[in-house]
PDB file of all heavy atoms in Angstrom:
ATOM      1  N   HIS A 476     -12.223  30.247   2.788  1.00 98.00           N
ATOM      2  CA  HIS A 476     -12.502  29.997   1.425  1.00 98.00           C
ATOM      3  C   HIS A 476     -11.245  30.155   0.604  1.00 98.00           C
ATOM      4  O   HIS A 476     -10.149  30.645   1.019  1.00 98.00           O
ATOM      5  CB  HIS A 476     -13.690  30.972   0.926  1.00 98.00           C
ATOM      6  CG  HIS A 476     -15.003  30.681   1.677  1.00 98.00           C
ATOM      7  ND1 HIS A 476     -15.706  29.557   1.507  1.00 98.00           N
ATOM      8  CD2 HIS A 476     -15.605  31.548   2.486  1.00 98.00           C
ATOM      9  CE1 HIS A 476     -16.778  29.560   2.143  1.00 98.00           C
ATOM     10  NE2 HIS A 476     -16.726  30.792   2.948  1.00 98.00           N
ATOM     11  N   TYR A 477     -11.358  29.918  -0.641  1.00 98.00           N
ATOM     12  CA  TYR A 477     -10.231  29.855  -1.584  1.00 98.00           C
ATOM     13  C   TYR A 477      -9.585  31.285  -1.591  1.00 98.00           C
ATOM     14  O   TYR A 477      -8.366  31.397  -1.733  1.00 98.00           O
ATOM     15  CB  TYR A 477     -10.714  29.505  -3.006  1.00 98.00           C
ATOM     16  CG  TYR A 477     -11.538  30.551  -3.723  1.00 98.00           C
ATOM     17  CD1 TYR A 477     -10.914  31.518  -4.467  1.00 98.00           C
ATOM     18  CD2 TYR A 477     -12.913  30.686  -3.579  1.00 98.00           C
ATOM     19  CE1 TYR A 477     -11.611  32.547  -5.157  1.00 98.00           C
ATOM     20  CE2 TYR A 477     -13.586  31.634  -4.191  1.00 98.00           C
ATOM     21  CZ  TYR A 477     -12.892  32.607  -4.965  1.00 98.00           C
ATOM     22  OH  TYR A 477     -13.728  33.511  -5.525  1.00 98.00           O
ATOM     23  N   ASP A 478     -10.340  32.287  -1.433  1.00 97.00           N
ATOM     24  CA  ASP A 478      -9.838  33.719  -1.511  1.00 97.00           C
ATOM     25  C   ASP A 478      -9.391  34.397  -0.209  1.00 97.00           C
ATOM     26  O   ASP A 478      -9.079  35.365  -0.115  1.00 97.00           O
ATOM     27  CB  ASP A 478     -10.869  34.715  -2.124  1.00 97.00           C
ATOM     28  CG  ASP A 478     -12.211  34.649  -1.346  1.00 97.00           C
ATOM     29  OD1 ASP A 478     -12.223  34.019  -0.266  1.00 97.00           O
ATOM     30  OD2 ASP A 478     -13.079  35.532  -1.635  1.00 97.00           O
ATOM     31  N   GLY A 479      -9.241  33.380   0.852  1.00 95.00           N
ATOM     32  CA  GLY A 479      -8.793  33.889   2.095  1.00 95.00           C
ATOM     33  C   GLY A 479      -9.861  34.375   3.052  1.00 95.00           C
ATOM     34  O   GLY A 479      -9.500  34.986   4.180  1.00 95.00           O
ATOM     35  N   THR A 480     -11.203  34.392   2.749  1.00 98.00           N
ATOM     36  CA  THR A 480     -12.242  34.830   3.573  1.00 98.00           C
ATOM     37  C   THR A 480     -12.644  33.701   4.553  1.00 98.00           C
ATOM     38  O   THR A 480     -12.533  32.547   4.044  1.00 98.00           O
ATOM     39  CB  THR A 480     -13.489  35.316   2.790  1.00 98.00           C
ATOM     40  OG1 THR A 480     -13.908  34.368   1.927  1.00 98.00           O
ATOM     41  CG2 THR A 480     -13.106  36.643   2.045  1.00 98.00           C
ATOM     42  N   LEU A 481     -12.946  33.975   5.616  1.00 98.00           N
ATOM     43  CA  LEU A 481     -13.319  33.089   6.786  1.00 98.00           C
ATOM     44  C   LEU A 481     -14.559  32.253   6.329  1.00 98.00           C
ATOM     45  O   LEU A 481     -15.621  32.899   6.122  1.00 98.00           O
ATOM     46  CB  LEU A 481     -13.415  33.751   8.144  1.00 98.00           C
ATOM     47  CG  LEU A 481     -13.586  32.780   9.308  1.00 98.00           C
ATOM     48  CD1 LEU A 481     -12.360  31.831   9.509  1.00 98.00           C
ATOM     49  CD2 LEU A 481     -13.871  33.517  10.533  1.00 98.00           C
ATOM     50  N   SER A 482     -14.458  31.017   6.479  1.00 98.00           N
ATOM     51  CA  SER A 482     -15.688  30.114   6.136  1.00 98.00           C
ATOM     52  C   SER A 482     -16.461  30.033   7.499  1.00 98.00           C
ATOM     53  O   SER A 482     -17.808  30.188   7.480  1.00 98.00           O
ATOM     54  CB  SER A 482     -15.321  28.725   5.786  1.00 98.00           C
ATOM     55  OG  SER A 482     -16.399  27.992   5.573  1.00 98.00           O
ATOM     56  N   GLN A 483     -15.892  29.578   8.607  1.00 98.00           N
ATOM     57  CA  GLN A 483     -16.639  29.405   9.903  1.00 98.00           C
ATOM     58  C   GLN A 483     -15.602  29.636  10.998  1.00 98.00           C
ATOM     59  O   GLN A 483     -14.389  29.246  10.694  1.00 98.00           O
ATOM     60  CB  GLN A 483     -17.405  28.167   9.952  1.00 98.00           C
ATOM     61  CG  GLN A 483     -16.611  26.851   9.773  1.00 98.00           C
ATOM     62  CD  GLN A 483     -16.300  26.217  11.116  1.00 98.00           C
ATOM     63  OE1 GLN A 483     -16.120  26.711  12.083  1.00 98.00           O
ATOM     64  NE2 GLN A 483     -16.267  24.976  10.990  1.00 98.00           N
ATOM     65  N   PRO A 484     -15.982  30.033  12.240  1.00 98.00           N
ATOM     66  CA  PRO A 484     -14.998  30.543  13.219  1.00 98.00           C
ATOM     67  C   PRO A 484     -14.737  29.416  14.210  1.00 98.00           C
ATOM     68  O   PRO A 484     -13.923  29.722  15.118  1.00 98.00           O
ATOM     69  CB  PRO A 484     -15.604  31.587  13.834  1.00 98.00           C
ATOM     70  CG  PRO A 484     -17.100  31.386  13.717  1.00 98.00           C
ATOM     71  CD  PRO A 484     -17.373  30.659  12.492  1.00 98.00           C
ATOM     72  N   ALA A 485     -15.428  28.176  14.251  1.00 98.00           N
ATOM     73  CA  ALA A 485     -15.147  27.318  15.414  1.00 98.00           C
ATOM     74  C   ALA A 485     -13.745  26.887  15.472  1.00 98.00           C
ATOM     75  O   ALA A 485     -13.033  26.760  14.488  1.00 98.00           O
ATOM     76  CB  ALA A 485     -16.066  26.053  15.120  1.00 98.00           C
ATOM     77  N   LYS A 486     -13.284  26.629  16.741  1.00 98.00           N
ATOM     78  CA  LYS A 486     -11.992  26.177  16.944  1.00 98.00           C
ATOM     79  C   LYS A 486     -11.749  24.656  16.896  1.00 98.00           C
ATOM     80  O   LYS A 486     -10.653  24.144  16.807  1.00 98.00           O
ATOM     81  CB  LYS A 486     -11.549  26.690  18.304  1.00 98.00           C
ATOM     82  CG  LYS A 486     -11.458  28.161  18.381  1.00 98.00           C
ATOM     83  CD  LYS A 486     -10.514  28.832  17.457  1.00 98.00           C
ATOM     84  CE  LYS A 486     -10.684  30.266  17.217  1.00 98.00           C
ATOM     85  NZ  LYS A 486     -10.709  31.070  18.500  1.00 98.00           N
ATOM     86  N   GLY A 487     -12.881  23.918  16.992  1.00 98.00           N
ATOM     87  CA  GLY A 487     -12.713  22.412  16.907  1.00 98.00           C
ATOM     88  C   GLY A 487     -13.974  21.674  16.670  1.00 98.00           C
ATOM     89  O   GLY A 487     -15.040  22.287  16.680  1.00 98.00           O
ATOM     90  N   ASN A 488     -13.768  20.595  16.158  1.00 98.00           N
ATOM     91  CA  ASN A 488     -14.832  19.513  15.802  1.00 98.00           C
ATOM     92  C   ASN A 488     -14.335  18.176  15.917  1.00 98.00           C
ATOM     93  O   ASN A 488     -13.383  17.947  16.641  1.00 98.00           O
ATOM     94  CB  ASN A 488     -15.569  19.908  14.496  1.00 98.00           C
ATOM     95  CG  ASN A 488     -14.546  20.035  13.340  1.00 98.00           C
ATOM     96  OD1 ASN A 488     -13.507  19.242  13.397  1.00 98.00           O
ATOM     97  ND2 ASN A 488     -14.594  21.089  12.550  1.00 98.00           N
ATOM     98  N   MET A 489     -14.968  17.225  15.281  1.00 96.00           N
ATOM     99  CA  MET A 489     -14.327  15.873  15.285  1.00 96.00           C
ATOM    100  C   MET A 489     -13.061  15.705  14.536  1.00 96.00           C
ATOM    101  O   MET A 489     -12.460  14.742  14.572  1.00 96.00           O
ATOM    102  CB  MET A 489     -15.477  14.954  14.737  1.00 96.00           C
ATOM    103  CG  MET A 489     -16.598  14.740  15.622  1.00 96.00           C
ATOM    104  SD  MET A 489     -16.160  13.736  17.146  1.00 96.00           S
ATOM    105  CE  MET A 489     -17.616  14.168  18.232  1.00 96.00           C
ATOM    106  N   TYR A 490     -12.877  16.771  13.712  1.00 96.00           N
ATOM    107  CA  TYR A 490     -11.533  16.613  12.807  1.00 96.00           C
ATOM    108  C   TYR A 490     -10.679  17.641  13.291  1.00 96.00           C
ATOM    109  O   TYR A 490      -9.288  17.503  12.995  1.00 96.00           O
ATOM    110  CB  TYR A 490     -11.974  16.903  11.420  1.00 96.00           C
ATOM    111  CG  TYR A 490     -12.941  15.798  10.869  1.00 96.00           C
ATOM    112  CD1 TYR A 490     -14.392  16.221  10.861  1.00 96.00           C
ATOM    113  CD2 TYR A 490     -12.663  14.512  10.661  1.00 96.00           C
ATOM    114  CE1 TYR A 490     -15.325  15.309  10.386  1.00 96.00           C
ATOM    115  CE2 TYR A 490     -13.626  13.569  10.229  1.00 96.00           C
ATOM    116  CZ  TYR A 490     -14.907  14.089  10.053  1.00 96.00           C
ATOM    117  OH  TYR A 490     -15.832  13.138   9.728  1.00 96.00           O
ATOM    118  N   LYS A 491     -11.020  18.837  13.628  1.00 98.00           N
ATOM    119  CA  LYS A 491     -10.044  19.855  13.891  1.00 98.00           C
ATOM    120  C   LYS A 491      -9.938  19.814  15.589  1.00 98.00           C
ATOM    121  O   LYS A 491     -10.896  20.009  16.308  1.00 98.00           O
ATOM    122  CB  LYS A 491     -10.394  21.194  13.463  1.00 98.00           C
ATOM    123  CG  LYS A 491      -9.366  22.338  13.883  1.00 98.00           C
ATOM    124  CD  LYS A 491      -9.665  23.720  13.426  1.00 98.00           C
ATOM    125  CE  LYS A 491      -8.644  24.650  13.885  1.00 98.00           C
ATOM    126  NZ  LYS A 491      -8.396  24.887  15.208  1.00 98.00           N
TER     127      LYS A 491
END
Side-chain angles (χ1 to χ4, degrees):
H476 295 296
Y477 71 94
D478 61 355
T480 55
L481 185 64
S482 172
Q483 59 102 324
K486 297 299 166 54
N488 48 44
M489 289 290 162
Y490 303 101
K491 182 184 183 294

